[in-house]
């Protein structure tokens, strides 16, 4: 059940369905929810979630962060 919910959330964030969530996609979703976050904070969150330090993350990387 949890995996299905995470998959659904990831798919909502991954607007172009390329298997990666970018900082722009995350920022877009947050703004649509009425949450305004500085770009610098989004970049920091994405770097934390990404194993490579790039500002993009895959579904597996997000699951790995959740399991830390």
């Amino acid at each position: 059940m949890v995996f299905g919910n995470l998959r659904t959330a990831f798919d909502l964030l991954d607007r172009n369905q390329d298997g990666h969530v970018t900082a722009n996609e995350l920022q877009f979703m947050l703004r649509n929810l009425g949450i305004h976050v500085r770009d610098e904070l989004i970049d920091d969150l994405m770097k934390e979630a990404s194993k490579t330090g790039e500002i993009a993350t895959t579904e597996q990387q997000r699951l790995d962060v959740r399991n830390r």
Side-chain angles (χ1 to χ4, degrees):
M1 179 75 151
V2 172
F3 181 75
N5 291 341
L6 288 174
R7 179 69 199 181
T8 299
F10 186 88
D11 288 345
L12 288 171
L13 289 168
D14 185 15
R15 296 185 64 221
N16 64 358
Q17 300 298 299
D18 67 352
H20 294 84
V21 174
T22 65
N24 287 338
E25 288 170 324
L26 179 57
Q27 186 70 280
F28 177 83
M29 181 61 70
L30 290 173
R31 286 186 178 149
N32 279 336
L33 294 171
I35 302 169
H36 300 280
V37 179
R38 291 186 340 267
D39 289 339
E40 296 82 14
L41 179 57
I42 294 291
D43 290 347
D44 290 344
L45 290 170
M46 296 299 292
K47 287 177 185 174
E48 176 67 26
S50 173
K51 290 180 180 180
T52 63
E54 296 175 4
I55 303 177
T57 187
T58 65
E59 179 181 10
Q60 185 59 50
Q61 289 171 337
R62 295 184 68 78
L63 290 172
D64 290 346
V65 167
R66 184 153 184 348
N67 291 326
R68 286 185 193 170

